[in-house]
Structure formats: structure tokens, C-alpha cells
């Protein structure tokens, strides 16, 4: 990956194989930072396109990987981190249909791929690679796999087919179907596969641990494979001469319909060190957090055939938007914080005290669509909230030429909730402070001041109960929820340019108001 402008690169050894590309594509030397004989391929579609005449040029991949002839309509993209051992992914319905199962299985695995299995929110995840051999393994390694896999029958599913909208929806549908249809003795946990350090390489899925003896799980997996563009694998336990157990993975075969062919390749599960930060951050840009209007807009455009409401939302965006980057009128003050920290109470008092306009993100004009988009997978839900911010920005631009503007939630909320949801596990797994993930979008109007209201968890709970909304579904999962709130809070604090000013919102409403008015006077000269 070229650090400068995020293009795939190939090392010197691969140069021959990317030179012979079709007329549409060009190969150029990459930026000064990546000079060591490195070349990259540009294509009109922004993917590696190889026409039928160029097939030869993609055949020369590592021993483990094969690329069969692809038709002229199909695209091929390198997905392996170290290009020497490249795995090529083939896109295009015709190509996928023409490839036998064995090749499709390779799409979901690769020599440099890591797998992260998250069994419980607080437990250390199991990180493993797939190896052709039973390479040396410590007792601790073997014990880590045994603890995670147990003695149940094991299967994994990875959602790796179709475009990003289809993948996002397939993943959500798959999760619902697993919840609803698996036998009670079968539990499933999130499993992700990724290439360390390679952006957009994350593939999401699940690991199933099945204690049942019935064949219903297998039937279900066969159906999922047909209906959800997922690759399915099964795992078996082997014991070596020293009494040590080894788990090996192979392509799932339905015993009822697919006879044993003896051709399926087996890979051994080998634990490895988990990355310091959660791999979700590899896919975060333009999947969870959007940094340009056009990127969020593009997602809803891709949804128009499956979500008719997308077109209505995009029409509102078109109507409302004006070019707005910097605010040069009256001050714009944003209030952020977890639910029930007192944002609504304070924004209303500030509106009166400053004779200001009060705005919200998402704006009122999107209210009829919010519930619908809240039920969509993160890619689509987050694009909806991102577009809401741009509409609010246009409203801020108009209003701030007349009077101060107070905004109830804005980009900090969109980013902090998205990041905290995408990163499972503890706060330490969040992208590090200073990561590009926390950078304000360059084309979104910047407020003059962002105030983050904080109260203790007990006080927040008291306010929630006092408000009469009772126990939300989230509140019932207190343990998981506590972790989630910690991560939202921390993500809020890591966002830069503008960073939040933290306000202790535990005193009485009037005391909080006076404290905030004082801050506004100092910071915004009001
Ligand atoms: N400073 C305060 N002291 C005590 N109670 C407060 C204070 N500020 C707000 N409350 C009460 O806490 C509850 C939640 O406040 P509010 O609705 O303003 O929070 P919010 O941050 O806007 O919540 P949400 O994000 O869920 O809309 C309300 O019942 C409100 O009356
Ligand atoms: N600008 C915004 C506003 C809200 N959200 C999301 C984040 C939470 O899931 C939820 C909180 O909103 P509330 O219930 O307080 O109205 O909405 C966002 O992503 N961006």
C-alpha cells in the first residue's frame, strides 16, 4: 500500500506481471516514498482490471493461489498484503459462476490473512493464521485454541461476495438468520479476516460452535451459502503422536449433497499475536466514518435499488446543500455527549440566553427517514448520518449570518458512535490518538466551539430513569454497554480540529448553563 495516496503497489518481483495490462490501464512508478522498483496499476474504475487478453499477466501468482481465465467483463484485484504471495480476487458474476468451488474458497483465505475471533467483549480475542503445515506450536498456543474452539463442531462463514452494499446487508441478514434459525446448542461469535496494515481488507463473518448432534446446522449452512454470498468452512480436530490437538480448516461440504472428493485442501489453525488496535479500523474510512460529502452520497446512490428512501434523502441533500466550508458569521457552538447528559436541556437554555438559533443533526427534514436507516447495517446508517451533518452545515451557514447558532450533536457524535460500534472489545483497542480516523472532514463546516457534556455513569442512569424512558435494550446489557459508553466517550475526546472542551454537567441545570456561558464568552468572544 502506498502510504501517500492509498494505492495498491507491487514489488519488484511482480513488475513483469503487471506490465502487460490492457489499453485502458496504465502502470506508473509510485511516489518517492515507495520507489524501490515499485509499480502500480491505474484503471478507470479504480480497481485492477485485466481484460481477457491480459489473463497471462495475472497467472503468475504464488504457488498456493490460482487464477482461472476470467471473461472480458470481470475485474481482478490483488488482495494480499505482500505482493510476492499475491492472492487475486475475481469480481463479476460471470467469473464467479465459472470458477469451481475450490477457487471461490480461496477468495476468503490467503497466506497473509489473519483471523480475529472475538468470543466475549472483555476476553482477549483469539488471533490466528492458516498454515499448510503443523508448524511448531507452544503449549500456550495450543491451549489458547482449545479454550476458544472447545470440543464442539466448528464452522466459519465469511461474507465476501457482491458489492459493499450487498455485503453489508448480507452480513446483517446473516446475523439475524443465525439468531433466529440456529439450534440453541449452537452459538456464534464475530470472526473477521484481514491483512495487517492493508486498508479495506477486512472481511466480516462468524464462527459457529455447534454442540448439537443434529444435521440441521449443516442444512442451514448449505442454504446460507446459496443465498448470502458467503464462503463456509468447517474445522476438524486432529491429535498428533504427542497427544497435542490441532484444528484444521477446509471448505465446507454438505454431507447430504456433496460427496467427499478428496481434493479439498486443509489448513492448520495457528495462533498469532493480535494487532494492537482493532482491525475494524482498516475498513473504517468510508464504511463507518465519512470524510467527504461525495463519499457518503455515493453509498446512498448505491442503495437506490434496494432502499427506495435513499433517493428521497438524496433529493433533500441536493435541495439543501450549499458550498459551505468555513463559518465566518456569528459563533457556532455544538453540544455533544452521551444520551441523557443534558444536551437538550442546555441547548434550549442557551438558545434563550444568547438569542440563538437552535439546530440539530440529523436535521428535522430527515426525521421521517431516521428510523428506517437506523435499522440498516453500519455502512448505510453512517452514510445517512453523515449526509445529515452536511444538511445541518448548510442550515448553520444560513443562520449564522444572522445570529449565534447552537447545534445539538454534529460530526463528533457521528464519528464517535461509529468508531465505538465498529471496534469491539476494550477502550485500548480504539485507533490511537492522532490517527487520521479522528480528523474532521475537510469539506464540512467547522464549529467555533464543541462542548462535551459528561456526568458519572450513576448520574446518567438516574437522569435516564427520571426521564421515564426506563431500561433500554442497551441498558439491559449493562456490562457490554459500559464498555461501549467508555469507547464513545474516549472517541469524542480523541477527535481533532476542533477538539471538544469537556464540561462537567453534573451540577444543577442553571449552574451548568452559567459555566457554559462563561466558556462561550471566553472562547467565542460573545
Ligand atoms: N443539570 C442537570 N441536573 C439534573 N438533571 C438534569 C440536568 N440536565 C438535564 N437533566 C435531566 O436529565 C434528563 C435528560 O436530559 P436531556 O434530555 O437534556 O439529555 P440529552 O443529552 O438531550 O439526552 P438525549 O441525547 O437522549 O436526547 C431530563 O429528564 C432532564 O430534565
Ligand atoms: N449527528 C449525529 C447524531 C446522532 N447520531 C447517532 C448516534 C447515536 O446512535 C444516536 C444518538 O442520537 P439521539 O438518540 O441522542 O438522538 O444517533 C449520529 O451518528 N450523528
Amino acid at each position: 500500500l502506498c502510504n501517500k495516496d492509498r494505492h495498491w503497489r507491487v514489488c519488484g518481483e511482480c513488475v513483469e506481471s503487471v506490465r502487460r495490462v490492457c489499453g485502458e490501464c496504465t502502470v506508473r512508478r509510485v511516489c518517492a516514498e515507495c520507489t524501490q522498483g515499485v509499480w502500480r496499476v491505474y484503471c478507470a474504475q479504480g480497481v485492477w482490471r485485466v481484460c481477457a487478453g491480459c489473463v497471462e499477466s495475472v497467472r503468475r501468482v504464488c504457488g498456493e493461489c490460482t487464477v482461472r481465465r476470467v471473461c472480458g467483463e470481470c475485474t481482478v484485484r490483488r488482495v494480499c498484503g505482500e505482493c510476492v504471495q499475491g492472492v487475486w480476487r475475481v469480481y463479476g458474476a460471470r467469473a464467479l459462476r465459472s470458477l469451481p468451488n475450490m477457487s471461490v474458497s480461496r477468495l476468503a483465505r490467503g497466506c497473509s490473512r489473519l483471523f480475529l475471533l472475538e468470543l466475549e467483549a472483555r476476553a482477549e480475542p483469539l488471533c490466528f493464521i492458516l498454515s499448510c503445515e503443523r508448524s511448531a506450536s507452544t503449549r500456550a498456543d495450543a491451549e489458547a485454541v482449545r479454550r476458544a474452539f472447545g470440543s464442539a463442531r466448528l464452522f466459519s462463514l465469511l461474507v465476501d461476495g457482491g458489492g459493499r452494499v450487498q455485503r453489508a446487508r448480507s452480513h446483517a441478514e446473516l446475523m439475524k438468520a443465525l439468531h433466529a434459525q440456529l439450534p440453541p446448542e449452537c452459538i456464534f461469535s464475530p470472526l473477521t479476516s484481514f491483512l495487517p496494515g492493508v486498508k479495506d481488507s477486512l472481511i466480516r463473518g462468524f464462527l459457529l460452535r455447534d454442540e448439537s448432534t443434529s444435521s440441521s446446522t449443516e442444512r442451514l449452512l448449505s442454504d446460507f451459502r446459496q443465498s448470502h454470498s458467503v464462503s463456509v468452512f468447517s474445522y476438524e480436530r486432529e491429535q498428533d503422536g504427542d497427544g497435542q490437538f490441532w484444528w484444521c480448516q477446509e471448505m465446507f461440504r454438505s454431507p447430504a449433497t456433496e460427496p467427499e472428493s478428496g481434493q479439498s485442501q486443509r489448513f492448520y489453525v495457528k495462533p498469532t499475536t493480535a494487532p494492537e488496535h482493532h482491525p475494524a479500523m482498516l475498513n473504517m474510512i468510508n464504511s463507518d466514518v465519512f470524510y467527504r460529502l461525495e463519499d457518503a452520497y455515493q453509498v446512498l446512490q448505491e442503495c437506490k435499488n434496494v432502499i427506495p428512501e435513499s433517493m428521497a434523502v438524496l433529493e433533500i441533500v441536493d435541495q439543501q446543500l450549499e458550498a459551505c466550508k468555513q463559518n465566518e458569521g456569528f459563533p457556532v457552538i455544538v453540544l455533544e455527549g452521551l444520551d441523557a447528559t443534558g444536551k437538550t436541556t442546555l441547548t434550549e437554555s442557551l438558545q434563550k440566553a444568547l438569542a440563538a438559533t437552535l439546530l440539530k443533526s440529523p436535521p428535522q427534514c430527515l426525521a421521517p427517514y431516521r428510523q428506517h436507516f437506523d435499522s440498516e447495517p453500519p455502512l448505510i446508517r453512517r452514510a445517512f448520518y453523515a449526509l445529515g451533518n452536511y444538511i445541518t452545515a448548510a442550515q448553520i451557514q444560513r443562520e449564522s449570518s444572522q445570529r449565534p447558532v447552537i447545534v445539538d450533536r454534529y460530526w463528533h457524535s457521528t464519528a464517535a458512535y461509529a468508531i465505538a460500534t465498529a471496534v469491539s472489545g476494550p477502550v485500548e483497542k480504539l485507533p490511537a490518538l492522532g490517527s487520521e480516523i479522528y480528523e474532521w472532514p475537510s469539506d464540512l463546516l467547522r464549529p467555533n466551539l464543541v462542548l462535551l457534556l459528561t456526568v458519572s455513569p450513576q448520574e446518567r442512569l438516574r437522569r435516564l430513569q427520571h426521564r421515564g424512558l426506563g431500561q433500554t435494550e442497551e441498558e439491559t446489557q449493562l456490562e457490554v454497554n459500559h464498555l461501549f459508553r467508555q469507547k464513545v466517550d474516549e472517541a469524542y475526546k480523541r477527535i481533532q480540529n476542533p477538539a471538544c472542551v469537556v464540561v462537567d454537567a453534573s451540577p444543577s441545570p442553571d449552574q451548568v448553563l452559567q459555566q457554559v456561558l462563561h466558556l462561550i464568552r471566553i472562547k467565542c468572544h460573545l
Side-chain angles (χ1 to χ4, degrees), residues 239-253:
Q239 195 169 18
D240 65 16
D242 300 332
Q244 184 166 329
F245 284 112
W246 297 86
W247 274 261
C248 40
Q249 185 217 57
E250 64 184 340
M251 191 71 188
F252 170 71
R253 186 180 55 78

Side-chain angles (χ1 to χ4, degrees), residues 336-340 343-344 360-363 370 374 381-382 384-386 388-389 392 408-418 421 467 474 484 492:
E336 294 283 12
L338 294 170
D339 297 2
K343 296 181 297 300
T344 309
K360 279 179 192 292
S361 179
R370 189 171 177 186
D374 272 342
R381 185 162 78 238
R382 303 302 177 199
F384 169 81
Y385 280 105
N389 287 332
T392 300
D408 189 342
R409 292 200 192 270
Y410 194 35
W411 193 79
H412 276 74
S413 278
T414 314
Y417 278 83
T421 309
R467 193 162 65 169
E474 277 187 339
F484 175 69
Y492 268 135

Side-chain angles (χ1 to χ4, degrees), residues 337-346 408-409 459 462-464 466-467 505-509 512:
L338 294 170
D339 297 2
T341 46
K343 296 181 297 300
T344 309
T345 309
L346 184 60
D408 189 342
R409 292 200 192 270
E459 174 62 10
R462 202 187 61 73
R463 290 186 188 182
L464 272 171
H466 189 249
R467 193 162 65 169
S506 36
S508 73
V512 178

Side-chain angles (χ1 to χ4, degrees), residues 113-118 124-130 141 144-145 148-149 191-192 194 196 269-276 279 429:
R113 281 202 164 263
L114 259 64
F115 295 79
L116 191 78
L117 173 64
E118 294 167 279
E124 260 309 297
L126 174 72
C127 192
F128 63 88
I129 55 166
L130 294 170
D141 274 357
V145 186
F149 286 2
L191 177 73
T192 43
F194 61 99
V269 171
K270 187 169 187 301
T272 185
T273 315
E276 190 185 348
K429 292 286 173 191

Side-chain angles (χ1 to χ4, degrees), residues 305-321:
N305 293 333
V306 278
I307 309 173
E309 289 85 348
S310 306
M311 289 318 285
V313 170
L314 292 180
E315 269 169 36
I316 298 175
V317 174
D318 290 340
Q319 284 159 11
Q320 296 266 334
L321 243 64

